[in-house]
Amino acid sequence: MTVSKSRKPIVAGNWKMNKTVADATDLVNAIKRDLAGCKEVDVVLCPPFTALKAVSDLITETHIDLGAQNMHWEKNGAFTGEVSAEMIRELYCHYVILGHSERRAYFGETDEIVNKKTKAALEANLTPIVCVGETLDERESGRMTEVVQTQVRGSLKGLSARDLAESVIAYEPVWAIGTGKTASSEQAQEVHALIRKVIEDMADEAVAQSVRIQYGGSVKPGNAAELFGMPDIDGGLIGGAALEARSFIEIVRAAI
Ligand code: PGA
């Protein structure tokens, strides 16, 4: 990294709807060989719900952490197909991805829903990884700042300063997810600085300086070091490149 930061980088693998238990086992075993003892970066694996238990068991003696990709905000009840914070916490998840752009686009998640989930996650002692990001159309029509600000404020509304400081935000421009198009490190840094400013307005400078903001969207071994070297980028949320051990390990190493 080119800039020394007081915040510990966090690199999370968002496996999305990929990997059976058998595939997950192979991947985790390969990742473990390199990263079991990694203390310089918070390494988080976010498998689908069905592989959480298997991955949890495989990483017990390591420094690798577990995250889920979604949860419901209610504690229990008649919500067919949903999973609660307590249920994922029971499997030793420490993190949960919330408001991913795919959840927003395909499953109708609004800032209000993401906000309810974020509060429920924090209440259950889970660290939320709250995703925000503009579409290509929003960027090209000059609305990026407004869209990102509204998502950050809406998704994190009503959080205490302490909860804000402990949350993780993932900036993921929708146009860069799974497309092979990465935001340039300057484009990403600009938005990360903007998000930190919004957090400062919502709380104070100390909170803004503590909150970790990941970049996500076509992060690869070849572009990770440059992105992670920017002053306001604290690691990444990795999709496609997290499905293969070698590329994920190289990306984590780029954050050290
Ligand atoms: P990608 O996905 O790395 O495949 O672009 C990132 C994400 O959606 O979290």
Side-chain angles (χ1 to χ4, degrees), residues 14 16 97 100-102 131 172 176-180 216-220 237-242:
N14 173 13
K16 308 191 180 185
I97 300 171
H100 188 278
S101 62
E102 288 150 17
C131 304
E172 300 204 304
I177 296 178
T179 58
S218 299
V219 178
K220 307 234 152 27
L237 183 55
I238 320 302

Side-chain angles (χ1 to χ4, degrees), residues 60-75:
T60 38
E61 306 273 294
T62 74
H63 281 94
I64 301 169
D65 263 317
L66 189 65
Q69 299 173 19
N70 181 31
M71 52 166 254
H72 197 277
W73 62 88
E74 291 289 353
K75 290 192 164 63

